[in-house]
Amino acid sequence: MNYILFDGTVRNALLPFTFTRPVAEIRIGILTIREKWEKYLGYTTTTLTEEYLSEKYPMVEMEDNIMINASFLPNEVLVEMVKNLERNQAIFKEDEVIAFYTNDAQEEVDFDTYDIQYFDDEYISVQNTWDIFAKNDVAIREDFDLLTEGRISQIIPKSVNVISSENIFIEEGAKMEFVTLNASTGPIYIGRNAEIMEGSVIRGPFALCEEAQVKLATKIYGATTIGPHCRVGGEVNNSVMFGYSNKGHDGFLGNAVLGEWCNIGADSNNSNLKNNYEEVRLWSYETEGFAKTGLQFCGLMMGDHSKCGINTMFNTGTVVGVSANIFGSGFPRNFVPSFSWGGSSGFTTYLTKKAFEVAKVVMSRRHVEFTEQDARILEHVFEETKKWRKE
């Protein structure tokens, strides 16, 4: 069967992260949503997404296809229902479609003609940006079980101070000495060729993905995910870094999500709790205003390729777009549009020519090419986000 993951109705609610990727490429838990579905299904998947992203994330359509809403994370019950779908059948959760069968002869999909099955079991869905960290605890636990079932962990080095070793899984090539791992509060997963440097203290649930690195004497609380090829240091709490991003020095990051190719300068901090303990409001690209999150703790949302200088201070509930460059003293405003250059004293436009020069250098340091395809995506984002920048 051919499986296609589509963005669904939540794509705009997941900006700025979906400016540069389909919903399926969001990392929550240990794996991306796509990796979860492929692991459960035993098949590769393709993507139906925004037109400007489709060159990088193409859709492969065959005679018969099952379309899956990528905002829903798979579990055994849901996957079994998806696998058993037949022609003219669909799965719904209340009014939201989760999956449906289609074929290339269909000119349009009319669910009024479909046999509708309703999914009423427990599930995780990503509806808002803050869900990525708020639901990361349960997502790590589910991915840990999925990835480690029937497998044997590498041996924990003798110098490691460990609590609840049965909840720790170490992949081949991972390195650590003289660190503390406390998995009594949740599982700890250490990916292939990852490294935890001496003096670090980590409390689960925690995921350190392939080739990622925890710097000397880092303090990490669950539920935190450090994506592939990331570097992390200082103090981190309940945060997700997608991949290839750096927070390599002291400073606090809490209840936060960083996309790819971000860099947090030394001694930078984000607030994750308002002084009056009120509910945090977060910038919404859908309403172009600040939306209620229902959360008391909510920190920083930073899109791909954005960076901040040393000693940057982020207010509670700050949203930073794609390819922003923030520096200087004081608190920048809590919505920084994409391709902004500046800080608390004001912003100018960060021109794509300069932004691309930086991206090429940054990516080449990790032996990744900044392609013309990448440039076209960012050019589109630059044009799409003009209205929020003060030219």
Side-chain angles (χ1 to χ4, degrees):
M1 179 54 68
N2 186 44
Y3 295 98
I4 300 169
L5 296 167
F6 67 94
D7 285 347
T9 59
V10 301
R11 186 257 174 184
N12 289 344
L14 293 171
L15 297 171
F17 305 112
T18 47
F19 273 135
T20 47
R21 61 176 55 76
V23 172
E25 298 298 332
I26 286 174
R27 185 175 303 278
I28 176 173
I30 302 171
L31 305 169
T32 66
I33 296 172
R34 180 189 307 283
E35 289 169 343
K36 297 176 203 294
W37 275 105
E38 291 183 347
K39 188 83 174 170
Y40 271 101
L41 292 168
Y43 288 90
T44 58
T45 63
T46 59
T47 306
L48 176 60
T49 187
E50 298 293 306
E51 185 177 350
Y52 75 93
L53 293 171
S54 60
E55 182 184 1
K56 186 172 182 178
Y57 302 98
M59 179 178 72
V60 176
E61 190 175 21
M62 296 185 180
E63 182 177 347
D64 293 288
N65 310 281
I66 291 180
M67 309 291 292
I68 301 171
N69 186 334
S71 66
F72 286 84
L73 276 56
N75 59 42
E76 289 185 1
V77 175
L78 180 56
V79 169
E80 190 65 24
M81 290 181 69
V82 169
K83 284 182 174 180
N84 290 331
L85 278 176
E86 298 179 357
R87 288 196 175 194
N88 273 63
Q89 287 186 334
I91 302 168
F92 273 70
K93 177 65 179 179
E94 297 175 350
D95 295 331
E96 185 84 5
V97 61
I98 298 177
F100 61 96
Y101 197 115
T102 184
N103 61 74
D104 60 357
Q106 285 181 266
E107 294 185 3
E108 61 179 30
V109 175
D110 181 4
F111 289 123
D112 289 337
T113 66
Y114 270 62
D115 171 24
I116 304 298
Q117 304 173 19
Y118 287 95
F119 178 71
D120 295 319
D121 213 81
E122 292 183 359
Y123 70 102
I124 307 172
S125 65
V126 180
Q127 304 288 323
N128 300 284
T129 53
W130 56 86
D131 287 339
I132 299 169
F133 72 78
K135 299 179 180 180
N136 199 44
D137 185 307
V138 64
I140 288 177
R141 295 173 192 270
E142 290 191 358
D143 283 354
F144 184 88
D145 291 343
L146 180 66
L147 289 172
T148 64
E149 185 179 9
R151 300 176 63 215
I152 298 174
S153 168
Q154 298 295 303
I155 295 173
I156 300 172
K158 291 182 179 180
S159 69
V160 174
N161 182 29
V162 61
I163 303 172
S164 299
S165 60
E166 69 277 9
N167 294 331
I168 296 171
F169 194 93
I170 303 172
E171 297 282 6
E172 185 178 352
K175 297 184 295 183
M176 68 195 79
E177 297 287 352
F178 298 101
V179 303
T180 295
L181 302 179
N182 180 0
S184 66
T185 52
I188 293 176
Y189 175 86
I190 311 300
R192 185 181 298 272
N193 298 325
E195 180 180 15
I196 306 175
M197 294 185 180
E198 306 89 283
S200 295
V201 181
I202 295 170
R203 177 185 286 260
F206 174 71
L208 184 68
C209 298
E210 184 174 355
E211 299 278 352
Q213 185 182 73
V214 176
K215 306 296 281 292
L216 284 166
T218 299
K219 297 175 289 186
I220 299 180
Y221 308 82
T224 291
T225 297
I226 308 301
H229 303 275
C230 288
R231 306 288 182 264
V232 66
E235 183 181 3
V236 180
N237 176 46
N238 191 198
S239 296
V240 177
M241 298 168 65
F242 284 3
Y244 293 97
S245 288
N246 291 340
K247 183 213 169 295
H249 305 285
D250 284 344
F252 175 72
L253 183 73
N255 304 97
V257 182
L258 305 185
E260 294 185 342
W261 307 109
C262 299
N263 189 71
I264 304 294
D267 287 321
S268 294
N269 296 277
N270 81 261
S271 168
N272 64 344
L273 175 68
K274 298 179 73 172
N275 283 355
N276 58 9
Y277 289 71
E278 284 187 351
E279 176 185 356
V280 179
R281 293 172 179 263
L282 208 63
W283 172 263
S284 167
Y285 286 90
E286 289 185 297
T287 64
E288 300 189 14
F290 288 89
K292 292 181 177 181
T293 63
L295 300 174
Q296 192 175 60
F297 290 89
C298 185
L300 172 67
M301 306 286 137
M302 179 179 278
D304 289 10
H305 293 284
S306 286
K307 297 166 176 60
C308 70
I310 62 170
N311 296 307
T312 302
M313 299 184 293
F314 291 105
N315 271 306
T316 314
T318 294
V319 175
V320 177
V322 173
S323 286
N325 200 306
I326 303 163
F327 52 87
S329 61
F331 287 88
R333 56 184 177 169
N334 52 5
F335 169 52
V336 179
S338 299
F339 292 93
S340 294
W341 173 281
S344 60
S345 59
F347 288 92
T348 59
T349 296
Y350 189 17
L351 297 176
T352 53
K353 179 182 177 182
K354 293 292 185 182
F356 293 176
E357 287 173 1
V358 173
K360 288 176 184 177
V361 173
V362 168
M363 293 173 71
S364 68
R365 293 174 70 240
R366 301 290 178 85
H367 309 291
V368 178
E369 181 186 2
F370 180 77
T371 65
E372 289 298 319
Q373 199 175 69
D374 295 323
R376 285 191 290 273
I377 289 172
L378 292 178
E379 286 279 9
H380 180 95
V381 176
F382 180 85
E383 294 298 324
E384 187 178 340
T385 58
K386 266 186 177 179
K387 60 182 177 179
W388 292 304
R389 290 190 297 273
K390 293 182 179 179
E391 302 296 332

